[in-house]
Amino acid sequence: MYNISLNKIRKTYGDLTILHSVEMEITEGEFVVILGSSGCGKSTLLNIVAGLDTCDSGQILIGDKDVTDLEPSDRDLSMVFQSYALFPSMTVRRNLSFGMEVARVPKAEREAKVAKVAQLLQIDALLDRKPSQLSGGQRQRVAIGRALVRSTGVCLFDEPLSNLDAKLRTETRVELKKLHNDLGFTMLYVTHDQVEAMTMADRVAVMNKGRVEQFAPPQEIYEKPANLFVASFVGSPEINQIAGHLSGNGSLDIGKTHIDLSGYAFENGTRPAQDAILAVRCEDIKIVPPAAGHITAQLDFVELLGADALAWVLYHGKRLSVRMGVDQARALESEVGLQFDLTKASVFCTKDGHRL
Amino acid sequence: MSSPANAAAMPRVAVVGMYAFLIVSALFFLAPFLVILINSVKPMADIRSGNLLTLPSEITFEPWRIAWSSACTGLDCSGIKPGLWNSILITVPAVVISVLTGALNGYALAQWRSRFADWLMLFILIGLFVPYQAMLYPTVKILSGMGIFRSYTGIIFVHVVYGLPYTTLLFRNFYVGVPDEISRAARMEGASFLRTFWSVILPISTNIIVVVAILQFTGIWNDYLLGLIFAGNDNLPMTVQLTNIVNNSRGAAEPNVNMAAALLAAIPTLIVYFVSGRYFVRGIATGAVKG
Amino acid sequence: MARWFQRQMFRPTFTVVAFFAVIAIFFYGSIGWTFLMSLTKSSLMPRYDFVGFEKYADLMDNKRWIVSCINMVVFGALFIVGSLILGSILAIFIDRGIRFEGVFRTIFLYPLAISLIVTGLGWRWLLDPTLGIQAMVRDMGWENFAFDWITEPDRAIYTLVIASVWRSAGLVMIIVLAGLRSVDGDLWKAIRMEKIPQWRAYVQVIFPGMRPVFASCIVLLMSEVIRGYDLIVAMTNGGPGISTEMPAKFAVDFFFSRMNLSLASAASILMLLLSLLMLAPYLYSEFRRRD
Ligand SMILES: Nc1ncnc2c1ncn2[C@@H]1O[C@H](COP(=O)(O)OP(=O)(O)OP(=O)(O)O)[C@@H](O)[C@H]1O
Ligand SMILES: [Mg+2]
């Protein structure tokens, strides 16, 4: 029973509100990633779940038990820190068993558990070393090991991979995901790295300025962002945005150009007239001859990325990106037509950014 | 480590001038020590016939022996020996307790998140610079009330308490640099504040412990005023005994014995200085930049 | 309630509160009580017959107090300037990568390990006209040579300056040296490119950039000046006459041997105010910097 529910969690520092009434329901065994830019309150939220920080109001349930006022050690969860936070003066073995030592677990049991986790993470050979004698990747494993040794079902991670080099990060990512599949723990994982979020999560919570903007499976976040913030935060290069006026007959008017949005599925099927923004990912745009597509734009420059290429075009002074094959990119004329795949596009309200 | 300043060649005259200045300074710094050293092994006859800066005609350790075991302070003629034991008995426990309390308080202060934290810092920083005179008499009264005025416990207590702002601040400044995640991790493991301090934090504080221990050792060993007031006649530290010996024999004037006594009083801290070298320097540098 | 208590086991609050209580009682409580005493007519024992600021007025009529204050200003100014200049010059030279750096450094720093009592005695002997430098020069043939400052009421204060500069120049040196070593290497390169003479570089570029370093030196030295007691006791005991008396000694004497509790308290409170006054700009900048 390790589902977690967060109920209207609020956190303020003086006049500054760090978390505005955050709500989240995490089911048992789920891998949830909290994604957001620096300073948006991810760590604060995680620390509140862990019990390392208090919230001003709200409630935290773990396995249907109200743990809001409990000490971290009474919450049945464990945590992996960004800087690993291994105890520098202790050997790896003692790092792993310290928590059980504090809890007065008998020695034999401690040793058995340490041995089991050490084997699982392949750190048996390192057990008698001090943290300073380990490489970054090894420290990372020990930190995860420490969390697993005592863990009964919930594991929290605060940007655990951000101190690793790119290659190691990819490897550890895969391993963590595998570990999750094998152990079936509930995992709450904080990161600002989209790739980690997309690859590991069962569901992603995108955070912005202390609010959860969208909480959904990664593919849905990518394809059907709930608002303009999520759309532009997720994906690289940033999603293309074309501002215009949505008229009653279902077309987006930009000056004299009218983009027919009949292929787009509006939420609730309604399309009230208002200022709106059409957002399309670079891979959902096709290059066509000028005047044959939805709009016509001027080619600015081309970036060759190896596997494919990005063409940057100018439309009404704004730069848009289009992904295409390298050969096609080399052959581009100075004026191009752009055809949008409206089934994959999004339309947002200009005023508050919500999806239309 | 060498600064780029020395990359620029200096004119020869300047180099000569610089070394001349350094050597003269070195003589200035060494002079008192050498004078005391030389005269502490000089027979009294040499001193009467010459001055302090003449070399001894023969080397004798008689003054040292007298200073150690039979020089008089008033009616009591047992030398400076009892003072040495008193100083050790006072200094060692006082340093140990100072270090432990300073570390605990420093860690607590580094961990303490509150909007009053800055005010508490100001409170301590001011405490650091309060002249003892403004506290001495009330402290006498408090210790009398506790029944430990002029006692062995009393003098240790005063050293620890008077040193508290200083030791606490030194440790706090160190612990502010220790990543907070380590303490958080310990808390996740269920370790209480004291347990975390003892099992996780203290073992990684060796450097700062040595620094504070050295500073407190020199400070307490060299103390005069507190020992004079709070130690009581049976526990007078070496510095007080030394002045008693010197002032007692002022009329009779046996400078060689006095100087031997002064050296005996200075030797322990000098040993600490020479043995700990780098730590001592680092201690002064960190201790100096308070706050 | 039980849960609140249990939570506190994981918090530094209890330790901070205990620490705060000790400081509040022993430092601030004592100061408060000393202040109360200064408003009474207490002599041998505390009495609570308040007479307002009468004792402060008495102090202003007390010749010994006035002399003490003047002495402190003269001594303090010379001592601080002297230590800063000597310490900075030594730091510059050491920073230039001289030979035997370690030896020189050790020599300049060892006085810090020696107690002010031994320092005072050493210099007292060295400057004693019948034993020390004057005697030596006369023995060498200059019969009329005179260097008897320590027995001259007008000059004795300067001998205290010599002894304390001797002890504290090393402190300044080590702090300034740490400052010099953290000067950005590119700055030196720029100075060489611009062909600025080295001495001007120090005076106009490097040292102005090290203002906080000098500020902490000055604060440190000032607190030594205000607290200065041991050195005077060992070296001149306030004499000849009252020519080297200072406030710290005034207060201790009136507390413990002259038994004028209220006057001593008033003196202590004035010393405290002076310390705070000196400290205020430093504290202000410290806290400004933190915000
Ligand atoms: N003790 C504090 N006092 C005031 N503000 C704080 C405090 N701790 C954190 N904050 C503020 O709360 C906000 C959220 O901080 P948090 O550490 O949760 O960010 P984060 O999303 O984890 O960022 P990062 O990716 O950089 O780790 C930040 O704007 C930070 O400045
Ligand atoms: Mg964070």
Side-chain angles (χ1 to χ4, degrees):
Chain A
M1 292 300 288
Y2 290 108
N3 53 322
I4 305 173
S5 41
L6 308 182
N7 252 331
K8 299 211 169 66
I9 306 284
R10 256 179 67 85
K11 174 76 181 175
T12 55
Y13 283 116
D15 300 338
L16 217 64
T17 307
I18 307 293
L19 296 175
H20 304 264
S21 188
V22 171
E23 305 241 17
M24 233 186 257
E25 291 290 337
I26 298 163
T27 54
E28 177 162 12
E30 203 175 11
F31 197 126
V32 169
V33 171
I34 301 178
L35 177 67
S37 53
S38 190
C40 71
K42 311 180 294 284
S43 298
T44 308
L45 182 61
L46 199 72
N47 284 328
I48 289 174
V49 174
L52 292 169
D53 219 336
T54 53
C55 51
D56 297 318
S57 63
Q59 197 187 27
I60 303 149
L61 304 177
I62 295 180
D64 299 330
K65 189 172 87 176
D66 185 347
V67 299
T68 318
D69 293 324
L70 293 187
E71 263 305 302
S73 48
D74 299 333
R75 293 188 179 196
D76 282 347
L77 40 74
S78 53
M79 183 159 174
V80 177
F81 294 87
Q82 179 171 9
S83 64
Y84 316 140
L86 299 178
F87 308 128
S89 63
M90 302 183 187
T91 59
V92 169
R93 188 191 305 280
R94 187 113 193 278
N95 259 284
L96 295 182
S97 64
F98 180 64
M100 293 186 286
E101 201 181 307
V102 171
R104 304 223 168 81
V105 173
K107 192 153 188 241
E109 192 181 332
R110 292 202 307 249
E111 281 173 357
K113 279 197 169 166
V114 168
K116 201 172 130 222
V117 167
Q119 201 185 10
L120 182 70
L121 292 170
Q122 295 159 22
I123 48 175
D124 339 37
L126 311 174
L127 282 177
D128 292 312
R129 295 208 202 157
K130 290 273 181 73
S132 58
Q133 299 164 321
L134 301 178
S135 72
Q138 290 168 332
R139 275 177 220 183
Q140 171 68 57
R141 282 164 181 282
V142 175
I144 295 174
R146 187 175 64 186
L148 294 184
V149 159
R150 278 187 331 110
S151 187
T152 41
V154 179
C155 248
L156 310 178
F157 297 84
D158 191 355
E159 311 205 20
L161 306 186
S162 60
N163 284 345
L164 298 180
D165 65 41
K167 183 159 168 288
L168 213 52
R169 201 177 316 172
T170 320
E171 283 172 22
T172 317
R173 213 166 67 204
V174 176
E175 267 179 66
L176 258 181
K177 185 67 191 167
K178 234 180 76 199
L179 215 57
H180 174 246
N181 290 339
D182 294 348
L183 299 172
F185 285 179
T186 310
M187 293 188 169
L188 189 53
Y189 185 109
V190 161
T191 182
H192 59 247
D193 184 315
Q194 298 180 23
V195 183
E196 280 173 27
M198 299 306 278
T199 52
M200 291 199 282
D202 294 326
R203 278 197 293 166
V204 178
V206 180
M207 273 188 75
N208 178 33
K209 295 187 186 144
R211 289 196 169 80
V212 175
E213 300 281 357
Q214 187 172 9
F215 186 30
Q219 209 53 39
E220 186 180 330
I221 297 260
Y222 190 75
E223 287 171 356
K224 290 189 74 176
N227 54 40
L228 193 58
F229 173 81
V230 177
S232 59
F233 184 71
V234 177
S236 169
E238 196 181 323
I239 198 164
N240 296 304
Q241 298 174 25
I242 299 161
H245 185 80
L246 189 61
S247 63
N249 62 14
S251 73
L252 188 72
D253 306 337
I254 308 129
K256 290 196 199 81
T257 321
H258 306 282
I259 300 176
D260 179 16
L261 293 181
S262 53
Y264 177 76
F266 280 95
E267 302 278 298
N268 318 324
T270 57
R271 52 187 101 154
Q274 59 185 296
D275 285 342
I277 291 170
L278 173 68
V280 196
R281 301 224 176 261
C282 61
E283 63 268 27
D284 299 330
I285 303 178
K286 243 186 19 223
I287 299 282
V288 293
H294 286 114
I295 58 171
T296 304
Q298 278 69 46
L299 181 67
D300 194 10
F301 62 92
V302 171
E303 281 181 323
L304 299 179
L305 303 175
D308 51 16
L310 277 181
W312 292 88
V313 301
L314 285 171
Y315 177 67
H316 282 262
K318 267 201 79 172
R319 202 171 266 145
L320 308 177
S321 59
V322 185
R323 196 181 290 275
M324 64 189 68
V326 173
D327 292 338
Q328 190 189 359
R330 285 208 171 101
L332 281 180
E333 305 284 339
S334 69
E335 201 170 63
V336 294
L338 304 182
Q339 177 74 33
F340 306 133
D341 180 351
L342 289 175
T343 58
K344 290 186 177 166
S346 306
V347 179
F348 300 107
C349 165
T350 306
K351 218 164 59 224
D352 62 6
H354 78 270
R355 187 181 182 87
L356 291 171
Chain B
M1 272 301 280
S2 72
S3 114
N6 58 37
M10 289 206 299
R12 211 182 166 73
V13 202
V15 175
V16 173
M18 181 173 86
Y19 278 100
F21 185 89
L22 283 170
I23 289 167
V24 171
S25 302
L27 286 177
F28 168 67
F29 280 95
L30 283 174
F33 183 75
L34 291 179
V35 167
I36 294 179
L37 184 65
I38 290 169
N39 289 280
S40 72
V41 292
K42 210 188 254 182
M44 205 46 218
D46 280 12
I47 295 183
R48 283 202 198 91
S49 64
N51 58 61
L52 292 181
L53 291 105
T54 49
L55 289 177
S57 60
E58 62 168 316
I59 289 183
T60 163
F61 289 101
E62 189 61 13
W64 284 69
R65 203 189 53 72
I66 297 174
W68 175 244
S69 56
S70 63
C72 297
T73 64
L75 293 178
D76 176 24
C77 289
S78 48
I80 205 167
K81 186 168 59 179
L84 178 78
W85 284 119
N86 289 340
S87 278
I88 292 176
L89 288 177
I90 292 169
T91 308
V92 172
V95 168
V96 172
I97 300 173
S98 275
V99 165
L100 285 178
T101 50
L104 179 62
N105 292 326
Y107 177 58
L109 233 52
Q111 287 283 303
W112 197 50
R113 305 267 178 281
S114 160
R115 62 210 153 93
F116 302 118
D118 265 3
W119 289 107
L120 186 59
M121 283 303 292
L122 183 68
F123 193 73
I124 299 168
L125 231 83
I126 290 176
L128 215 52
F129 290 94
V130 174
Y132 287 168
Q133 282 75 10
M135 303 154 43
L136 278 179
Y137 197 81
T139 308
V140 169
K141 286 290 163 194
I142 298 175
L143 293 202
S144 300
M146 293 165 71
I148 55 173
F149 178 51
R150 289 182 162 273
S151 75
Y152 176 59
T153 328
I155 180 66
I156 292 178
F157 185 82
V158 167
H159 277 306
V160 170
V161 169
Y162 278 22
L164 213 47
Y166 190 46
T167 51
T168 300
L169 222 54
L170 287 171
F171 275 105
R172 179 207 166 261
N173 290 349
F174 175 81
Y175 289 135
V176 162
V178 172
D180 202 32
E181 286 198 342
I182 290 184
S183 305
R184 289 169 167 251
R187 196 165 153 209
M188 290 298 298
E189 300 291 303
S192 67
F193 175 75
L194 286 177
R195 180 70 194 256
T196 305
F197 170 69
W198 185 256
S199 301
V200 178
I201 298 299
L202 213 50
I204 59 174
S205 318
T206 333
N207 279 350
I208 187 74
I209 288 176
V210 173
V211 164
V212 175
I214 290 170
L215 286 173
Q216 280 297 89
F217 183 89
T218 21
I220 295 174
W221 188 276
N222 288 339
D223 158 73
Y224 172 79
L225 181 58
L226 298 183
L228 183 67
I229 296 172
F230 292 100
N233 285 334
D234 295 339
N235 310 301
L236 289 179
M238 226 171 169
T239 43
V240 179
Q241 299 237 348
L242 171 65
T243 44
N244 286 347
I245 288 176
V246 171
N247 291 338
N248 181 60
S249 57
R250 194 175 251 171
E254 285 192 16
N256 52 357
V257 172
N258 292 341
M259 295 193 189
L263 266 188
L264 282 166
I267 280 175
T269 45
L270 281 176
I271 291 177
V272 168
Y273 170 61
F274 283 110
V275 170
S276 65
R278 179 153 308 205
Y279 276 104
F280 186 86
V281 172
R282 198 192 304 166
I284 298 169
T286 44
V289 190
K290 296 168 176 169
Chain C
M1 191 59 203
R3 176 166 285 181
W4 179 85
F5 189 82
Q6 194 218 341
R7 294 208 77 162
Q8 295 311 315
M9 299 302 294
F10 294 84
R11 302 265 159 90
T13 325
F14 281 154
T15 311
V16 171
V17 168
F19 170 67
F20 177 83
V22 170
I23 302 286
I25 293 171
F26 279 89
F27 284 72
Y28 292 85
S30 296
I31 292 169
W33 204 69
T34 303
F35 178 63
L36 275 188
M37 282 300 106
S38 76
L39 301 178
T40 68
K41 282 200 293 194
S42 312
S43 50
L44 186 61
M45 294 301 278
R47 285 190 301 164
Y48 296 89
D49 44 356
F50 293 99
V51 292
F53 290 88
E54 198 182 297
K55 288 294 163 180
Y56 293 87
D58 285 357
L59 269 183
M60 295 310 144
D61 289 336
N62 186 313
K63 178 151 181 276
R64 185 171 155 191
W65 171 254
I66 300 296
V67 170
S68 296
C69 289
I70 296 172
N71 281 343
M72 182 175 68
V73 172
V74 172
F75 166 79
L78 292 174
F79 160 61
I80 291 175
V81 171
S83 301
L84 283 180
I85 293 178
L86 182 57
S88 304
I89 293 176
L90 294 177
I92 291 175
F93 287 170
I94 291 218
D95 188 41
R96 302 190 72 91
I98 51 165
R99 281 165 189 246
F100 311 115
E101 177 187 322
V103 177
F104 279 116
R105 217 215 273 245
T106 308
I107 292 174
F108 299 148
L109 270 180
Y110 87 95
L112 283 174
I114 292 181
S115 65
L116 283 161
I117 293 292
V118 173
T119 302
L121 291 176
W123 280 98
R124 174 166 121 195
W125 292 323
L126 199 59
L127 298 176
D128 186 326
T130 58
L131 286 172
I133 295 172
Q134 175 177 312
M136 176 190 74
V137 178
R138 287 190 179 178
D139 285 353
M140 282 171 8
W142 286 278
E143 293 290 340
N144 296 320
F145 176 82
F147 184 48
D148 54 358
W149 290 4
I150 200 164
T151 57
E152 289 281 314
D154 294 346
R155 302 265 169 80
I157 192 90
Y158 303 127
T159 62
L160 288 177
V161 173
I162 295 175
S164 21
V165 168
W166 177 82
R167 185 151 187 281
S168 296
L171 176 71
V172 174
M173 177 192 83
I174 210 71
I175 300 173
V176 172
L177 188 60
L180 283 176
R181 297 240 150 124
S182 59
V183 167
D184 182 11
D186 284 346
L187 192 56
W188 277 114
K189 287 183 196 150
I191 286 166
R192 287 182 67 194
M193 294 304 289
E194 302 288 326
K195 291 207 169 51
I196 299 171
Q198 300 265 320
W199 67 268
R200 285 192 71 156
Y202 279 112
V203 174
Q204 294 185 316
V205 182
I206 304 293
F207 283 166
M210 285 169 42
R211 212 170 289 162
V213 172
F214 287 105
S216 47
C217 283
I218 291 174
V219 168
L220 231 67
L221 297 178
M222 271 196 299
S223 94
E224 260 178 60
V225 170
I226 296 172
R227 289 177 166 187
Y229 174 81
D230 298 6
L231 185 73
I232 306 170
V233 167
M235 204 163 153
T236 63
N237 204 19
I242 55 167
S243 63
T244 53
E245 289 290 346
M246 290 205 209
K249 184 159 174 296
F250 181 96
V252 173
D253 286 355
F254 277 78
F255 269 128
F256 295 105
S257 38
R258 298 219 180 177
M259 302 301 178
N260 192 336
L261 191 46
S262 49
L263 197 67
S265 297
S268 307
I269 293 297
L270 289 182
M271 286 171 60
L272 174 66
L273 288 181
L274 184 67
S275 304
L276 295 184
L277 211 65
M278 304 268 184
L279 202 57
Y282 177 74
L283 286 180
Y284 182 70
S285 65
E286 271 289 297
F287 277 79
R288 274 271 303 265
R289 205 180 46 189
R290 225 173 274 174
D291 291 340

